[in-house]
Amino acid sequence: MSIKIALAGNPNTGKTTLFNALTGTSQYVGNWPGVTVEKKGGTLKGHRDVEIMDLPGVYSLSPYTLEEVVARNYLVTERPDAILNIIDGTNLERNLYLTTQLMELGIPVVAAVNMMDVVRKNGDKLDTKKLSDTLGCPVTEISAIKGEGVMEAAEKAVEAAGKAAVPPPHRFNGTVEHALAHIEELVLHNLPETQQRWYAVKLFERDEKVIQQLALAPDKIAHIEGDIKACEDELDDDAESIITAERYNWIGSIIGKCCRRRSQGKLTVSDKIDQIVTNRILALPIFVIVMGLVYAISMGGWAISIGTAATDWANDVLFGEWVPGLFDTILGAAGIAEESWLYGLIQDGIVAGVGAVLGFVPQMLVLFLLLCILEDVGYMARIAFIMDRIFRRFGLSGKSFIPMLVATGCGVPGIMASRTIEQDRDRKMTIMTTGFMPCGAKMPIVGLFAGALFGGSWLVATSAYFIGIAAVIISGVMLKKFKMFAGEPAPFVMELPAYHVPNPSNVLRGTWERGWSFIKRAGTVILLSSIVLWFLQGYGFVDGVFGAVEDNNDSILAAIGNAAAWIFYPLGWKGDMAWKATVASVTGLIAKENVVDTFGVLYHYAGDIDLIEDSTPLWSMVAADFSAITAYSFMIFNLLCAPCFAAMGAIKREMNNTKWTLGAIGYMCGFAYAAAMVVYQIGGLITGEAAFSVFTVIAFALLLGLIYLVFRPYRESTASRLNERSVARA
Amino acid sequence: MLAYIAAHMGYIVVTLILVLTVAAVIFGMVKDHKTGSSGCGCGCKGCANAPYCHPYCHPQKDAEASKLT
C-alpha cells in the first residue's frame, strides 16, 4: 500500500456507509452513534495501492473515550497520507469543530459533506466553494447512502495525499496565539513544522497524553503552565474552554458566510416524530406496542405472523417430511437398515436435533429483519434515550442499554459492547445483567413453548423480551443498593440520528448476517451436541449390562439428569420431564439452541410417533409433558440463567477477575432460579397446580425479599435528590 | 474380508462421510479458537455485531483500551 486515507468524522455521519461504498466491503452499518469502535481497513475500489481506514466516530481529538483514543492514536502516530473528513451537512456547526482539529494535524484534509440529499430536501443552501476557500481544503458534496459523489471524494483525497498539508486558516485570539507560539518555541521546535501547531494546542489544553508522549522536563511543564495561567487570567476562563469557544466562534462565522438555512428554527420531521415517540408519557407505551408488534409478527399466532407461518412450514414440512424423507431415501439406497445404530444416529440424532433448531430459522429471520428495520429507521437509538430515563432512576445510564440492544442478537458482542462504559461499577453491572436479554439463540425456546403450550400467543414472546428488561431493571435497583455498585450514573450524551427510510441493503445484510450466525452454529456446535446427546440418551445400563436402551428413561443421560433433577423440583420440574428439562438446561450452557436440540433428540427418540408421518411430534410431546405453568417456569429459568459458555468466556474476559466472573454467573443463576420458583409456586398455587408446601413459603419469602430490596431507600440517590433540591432553592 | 466390505459398503461410506464431517467441524472450531477469530462459535466475518467483539479478534484493541484506563 502506498497511500493511506483515513475516514474521520463525528459519530453516525455515514463513515462506514462511505467505507463500504469505497471499498466494496460489507461492514456492519448501524444507525446509532458508536457503532464503529475500532478502525477497519480496506482497499479503494479500482486503486489497489490506496488503503482506506474507517475510524470510529469522534466529536474531538481529546482522549476521553475509547473511540477517541483509537482515532487519535491512528491519526497522530500512524499519520495517514490524507484525511477524508465526513461532515454531516445537516449539522455543520458541530461537525466542523472536529474539522478545525483535523486541519491542525498537518495532514492534508478533504472535507466530504454527507447527507446533501437531506440538506437539499430541507431547502437549505450550502456554498461548498466558499466553504472550501474558508477552510483552506477541498470540500465535496456526497450522499453516502445513495452513492452520490463518493468516488469523486475519494479521488480528491488521493490527489491531496500527494500534496503538502495546508496550514490551518483558523487563528485564535492574540493572547492564545502568543502562548501557542511560546510553547512551540520552547518545546516543539524539533518537531516537523506542520505538526507543531496541533501539539501546541494540546499542550495549551493540558492534554496529559501529549505531555506524557513528549516526555517534557518538569521545568518546561512549569514554564508552559505559567503561559497558560497568564492566558486564563486574562481571558477569565480555563484553557480548554477558551480553545473550544474560539473554535465555535470561528465556525459560526464560516456558517454565516457559506450556509443559508431555510429550516432554521423549524421543527424537522424527525423532531415532530420525536415529540410523540420520546414523549415523557407516551414513550414507554409506544415502545411496548412496537416491541409487541415485532414479536407478534415474528413469533405470534396472528394472521400476520409470517415468522410463525414460515416456521410451521419448516417444522412440519421441511424438517418434518422432506429432510427426514430425503435421508430415509439416501440411507435406504445405501442399504442401511432402519434398526441400525447408524440410521438412528443420523435420523434420531442429527436430523431430529439440528432440524429442531433450524426449524426456527424463519422466525429468527423475521425477528432480525424487524429489529434491523427499527435500528436503521433510527428507533433503536430512541429506545436507548427512553431507557436512560428509567435506568437513571436506579443508577445506570442509557449507555448500559446499548449493550442490551446488541445482546438481542447475541450475548457475546453485547457483553463486549459494555467496555465502552467508562465507569467500572456501571460496566460490571451491565456485564452482569446483559445476559438477561433474550438473545437469538434463546428465541427457539420461546418459540417452542409458545407454539406447544400457548397456542403461539404473541404475548409469550413479547413477555420474554420484557422479562429480560424487567430482570435488568430489578437487578439494577437491587445491586445499586450494595456498596460495590453504589454511585451516581455517568452522564449519557447521545445524538439521536434523524429518522430515515430504511436502506434495504443495510437491513437485508444485517438480517442475513445475524441469521447466518444462527445457522452456522446449528451446523457446528449443535451438530456435535446432537451426536453426543443421541449416544447418551440411546445407551445405558439395563440389568447391569451396557447397551442400547429401548426406553431412554434407562439411558446414561437419564441417570445423569435424574441425579440433578431434584435441584429443580421447587420449579415444578417433576415426573418424566424432570430429567429431560434438567439435561436441556445444562446442555443449554454449551449453546442456548441446545435446549431445543436436546428436546428434539430426546422426544424424537422416545416417541412412538414417526416424524415423517406426524407433522408436529415435538410440540405435541412437549405439550404432553409440560403444563403451562411448568413451561413458563422452565422458560424463565432458561432465559435468565447463566448464558452459554461463549458468553461466560466474554464475561470472564471483560471482568478480568475470577471472583467477579463467578459472582456474575452465580447471580444470574440465582436470580433465574428465584424468579422461576416464584412463578411456579405462586402461579401454581393460584391455578391449583401446586399444593401449599415449604417451597411456597420460600417463594413468598423470596418475593418479599425482592420487593424489600427494590423499595429499600437508596441513600446515595436520596442524598443526591436532596442536594439537587437545595441547589434549586439556592 | 472383501465380501464383508462389499456387503457393508453403504455403512462404510456413510460412516466415513459422517466422521469426516465431524472432524471438519471440530477442526474448524479449534482453528477459530486458536486464531481467536471467534468469541461465540460463529466467527467474526459473518457477524453483524463483530465490531463489538473485535477486541477479541484483534488483540491490539486491548492494548488501546488499556491505554485509556
Side-chain angles (χ1 to χ4, degrees), chain A residues 262-423:
Chain A
R262 217 182 71 178
S263 55
Q264 189 102 36
K266 287 181 190 167
L267 288 179
T268 62
V269 176
S270 288
D271 293 334
K272 286 173 189 166
I273 297 172
D274 276 340
Q275 281 186 329
I276 301 165
V277 168
T278 61
N279 178 281
R280 192 167 285 274
I281 297 159
L282 295 173
L284 264 182
I286 291 173
F287 173 45
V288 173
I289 291 169
V290 168
M291 294 316 290
L293 270 174
V294 164
Y295 282 98
I297 294 169
S298 56
M299 305 182 77
W302 296 357
I304 54 159
S305 302
I306 45 174
T308 306
T311 276
D312 285 347
W313 178 84
N315 279 328
D316 300 350
V317 182
L318 185 63
F319 295 105
E321 295 172 15
W322 293 1
V323 176
L326 178 71
F327 275 93
D328 205 42
T329 310
I330 293 169
L331 296 176
I336 293 161
E338 282 189 27
E339 305 75 33
S340 69
W341 66 270
L342 190 57
Y343 186 93
L345 169 61
I346 292 171
Q347 286 284 43
D348 303 335
I350 297 170
V351 174
V354 177
V357 175
L358 285 178
F360 290 96
V361 166
Q363 280 186 337
M364 295 301 101
L365 288 178
V366 176
L367 178 66
F368 292 147
L369 177 82
L370 295 174
L371 292 177
C372 282
I373 290 173
L374 285 182
E375 185 196 321
D376 209 48
V377 163
Y379 184 66
M380 284 303 190
R382 268 78 185 173
I383 295 179
F385 172 76
I386 295 162
M387 294 311 287
D388 182 57
R389 277 190 214 142
I390 302 162
F391 276 29
R392 194 155 289 279
R393 283 173 186 269
F394 61 83
L396 267 184
S397 79
K399 204 166 190 178
S400 297
F401 196 67
I402 298 283
M404 288 160 201
L405 281 179
V406 175
T408 53
C410 174
V412 175
I415 291 159
M416 292 293 192
S418 65
R419 65 169 43 198
T420 55
I421 298 165
E422 289 87 7
Q423 279 186 332

Side-chain angles (χ1 to χ4, degrees), chain A residues 455-624:
Chain A
S457 169
W458 64 280
L459 284 168
V460 177
T462 312
S463 71
Y465 185 78
F466 285 102
I467 281 170
I469 292 183
V472 172
I473 292 174
I474 292 167
S475 296
V477 175
M478 290 193 307
L479 293 174
K480 266 285 167 182
K481 286 166 186 167
F482 291 92
K483 203 178 170 185
M484 63 188 88
F485 295 108
E488 286 300 307
F492 175 54
V493 180
M494 183 177 177
E495 190 183 342
L496 295 180
Y499 289 104
H500 65 75
V501 176
N503 181 326
S505 77
N506 281 352
V507 169
L508 291 175
R509 193 191 302 137
T511 305
W512 170 245
E513 285 172 354
R514 283 176 172 92
W516 175 239
S517 297
F518 186 86
I519 295 165
K520 200 177 166 193
R521 271 199 307 277
T524 52
V525 179
I526 305 305
L527 185 136
L528 296 182
S529 299
S530 299
I531 293 172
V532 175
L533 281 169
W534 171 83
F535 173 75
L536 291 176
Q537 59 79 58
Y539 290 81
F541 290 92
V542 179
D543 300 329
V545 181
F546 183 76
V549 291
E550 285 288 316
D551 181 354
N552 65 8
N553 284 314
D554 299 324
S555 67
I556 305 168
L557 203 60
I560 297 168
N562 280 322
W566 59 271
I567 299 169
F568 300 103
Y569 181 83
L571 311 192
W573 306 1
K574 298 170 188 170
D576 265 3
M577 63 76 89
W579 74 266
K580 290 172 185 163
T582 305
V583 166
S585 299
V586 174
T587 57
L589 296 177
I590 299 166
K592 286 292 171 185
E593 298 95 328
N594 250 343
V595 174
V596 171
D597 170 42
T598 306
F599 284 135
V601 175
L602 292 181
Y603 283 109
H604 183 81
Y605 183 87
D608 303 322
I609 302 165
D610 186 350
L611 265 183
I612 302 167
E613 285 165 15
D614 191 301
S615 60
T616 54
L618 181 57
W619 287 19
S620 53
M621 293 182 80
V622 168

Side-chain angles (χ1 to χ4, degrees), chain A residues 28 32 37-38 209 416 513, chain B residues 10 46 48 52 54 61-62 67:
Chain A
Y28 174 48
W32 62 63
V37 289
E38 75 144 74
K209 299 273 173 189
M416 292 293 192
E513 285 172 354
Chain B
Y52 290 104
H54 269 225
K61 179 78 184 306
D62 282 333
K67 279 181 201 166

Side-chain angles (χ1 to χ4, degrees), chain B residues 1-64:
Chain B
M1 182 68 178
L2 279 173
Y4 180 85
I5 292 171
H8 295 86
M9 186 54 85
Y11 280 89
I12 294 165
V13 171
V14 173
T15 308
L16 209 61
I17 292 169
L18 197 62
V19 169
L20 286 174
T21 307
V22 170
V25 167
I26 294 171
F27 178 75
M29 288 171 69
V30 171
K31 196 178 147 205
D32 273 355
H33 184 74
K34 277 187 177 170
T35 55
S37 62
S38 166
C40 52
C42 40
C44 292
K45 203 182 169 193
C47 177
N49 292 311
Y52 290 104
C53 293
H54 269 225
Y56 185 52
C57 303
H58 302 282
Q60 82 270 11
K61 179 78 184 306
D62 282 333
E64 279 157 358

